[in-house]
Amino acid sequence: MSGVRVSRESGVLFVSLDRPEKLNAIDTEMAHALREAFEAAADDDSVRVVLLMSTGRAFCAGQDLADPGVAPGSDLGATIERNYNPLIRAMRKLRKPVLACVNGVAAGAGANLAFAADIVVAARSASFIESFSRIGLLPDSGGTWMLPRLFGQARAIGIAMLGERISAEQAHAWGAIWDVVDDDKLIETCTVLARTLAQAPTRALGAIKAAFEAGWTSTLEDALDRERDLQRELGATHDYAEGLAAFGEKRKPDFKGR
Ligand code: LHQ
């Protein structure tokens, strides 16, 4: 009903945009369902990775432009504050990896939803469009923050101003996404990667995510202090003890995410 399907298997929370007849364009209900899925993932120790994916031919066409709530003259800031900002915050604050599996076009907030993931894998036929400027808007959903970081300032501002379609291969060649794979290998590649991440030392991955993000706005001195504090916390985890034991015993570690 909400346009989002959620299921769980072996530590992986599958969150799927499921409004294919609208190219998975996001309405209020979907935005809230997505946010709730990420917030629930934070509270659930059995979830160790979130795999964000979509049904149909598109990943996500961004905001549903047919929604009366975004008609000219309406308060777009209110829509963003209610629907998009809480979603992006929930994704970025989650101390667990988020993997985006981009099957087709990702436009507007749909592109920035994918870029808010930690690891992005795209099908060769997929593409990204910062389509905001085509309709007189600026990139939202964290785009103005994320695009220069992923693409570098020169490309980011070109992408945002021109609103041109960027192929998955181009995004990969520019270093903005983790991988691009043949269309028929996408689901398998993402599922394998998600299972690998679900067996990783979750606390360490969460600390990596938080430290990288904090690092964007801090000095080296602050980063060194943060690394010391986080490493102290990680040194007290089961997974560190297990990692060291497995190394000594020359076996595969059995990480528990705690
Ligand atoms: C759509 C949409 C769509 C509704 C395709 N909505 N129907 C936040 C809050 C506040 C304010 C506003 O913004 C935001 C954030 C944003 O995301 S703004 C950006 C919104 N998204 C866009 O501007 C993208 C608009 N869509 C497109 O550029 C194209 O449709 C893409 C590139 C996604 C796909 O192109 P095609 O593969 O050529 O498909 P199509 O254009 O023929 O679309 C298929 C149908 O889907 C079509 O309907 P129809 O009845 O003619 O078959 C489109 O109208 C509909 N559709 N996107 N966002």
Side-chain angles (χ1 to χ4, degrees):
M1 285 297 281
S2 64
V4 175
R5 273 191 298 123
V6 178
S7 63
R8 189 177 327 182
E9 189 202 302
S10 317
V12 182
L13 188 73
F14 294 84
V15 177
S16 190
L17 305 184
D18 190 25
R19 208 179 169 220
E21 71 287 359
K22 296 275 181 192
L23 303 187
N24 298 313
I26 298 174
D27 60 11
T28 295
E29 216 180 332
M30 274 174 86
H32 288 188
L34 284 169
R35 186 195 72 207
E36 279 164 18
F38 283 101
E39 287 176 351
D43 296 335
D44 185 343
D45 289 343
S46 73
V47 173
R48 292 170 66 182
V49 55
V50 179
L51 174 50
L52 182 61
M53 56 206 300
S54 295
T55 57
R57 72 176 175 91
F59 176 73
C60 175
Q63 165 67 37
D64 184 344
L65 296 174
D67 187 330
V70 297
S74 55
D75 181 354
L76 300 188
T79 304
I80 286 171
E81 194 51 44
R82 195 173 49 241
N83 294 356
Y84 292 92
N85 287 356
L87 167 58
I88 301 300
R89 286 192 189 103
M91 287 175 76
R92 298 304 314 163
K93 277 189 192 158
L94 182 65
R95 281 233 180 173
K96 298 174 185 181
V98 177
L99 173 61
C101 182
V102 180
N103 55 306
V105 65
N112 293 340
L113 182 65
F115 292 140
D118 300 302
I119 296 181
V120 180
V121 179
R124 212 167 292 286
S125 70
S127 56
F128 301 90
I129 314 178
E130 292 295 320
S131 49
F132 305 88
S133 61
R134 293 185 180 188
I135 56 170
L137 299 178
L138 93 163
D140 56 32
S141 306
T144 60
W145 190 89
M146 195 59 90
L147 294 172
R149 287 168 167 79
L150 292 175
F151 288 89
Q153 169 79 2
R155 283 171 179 145
I157 207 152
I159 289 167
M161 285 188 168
L162 297 170
E164 285 180 4
R165 189 186 289 258
I166 307 299
S167 69
E169 285 184 337
Q170 185 67 87
H172 183 241
W174 282 346
I177 63 171
W178 173 250
D179 205 0
V180 56
V181 297
D182 290 341
D183 290 22
D184 61 353
K185 293 279 182 296
L186 181 71
I187 299 295
E188 185 194 337
T189 304
C190 291
T191 307
V192 168
L193 198 50
R195 288 195 180 125
T196 302
L197 289 165
Q199 288 169 16
T202 312
R203 295 271 303 273
L205 304 198
I208 291 168
K209 177 172 179 170
F212 270 49
E213 190 139 326
W216 284 115
T217 51
S218 66
T219 61
L220 174 62
E221 278 307 311
D222 290 339
L224 292 172
D225 288 349
R226 189 178 308 109
E227 288 166 11
R228 174 201 60 214
D229 295 344
L230 289 169
Q231 209 72 298
R232 181 174 286 139
E233 283 176 26
L234 294 173
T237 61
H238 162 277
D239 286 347
Y240 175 58
E242 168 62 8
L244 270 192
F247 176 74
E249 293 160 22
K250 300 190 187 303
R251 61 171 173 81
K252 192 172 172 285
D254 179 17
F255 293 124
K256 304 285 189 203
R258 55 182 159 80

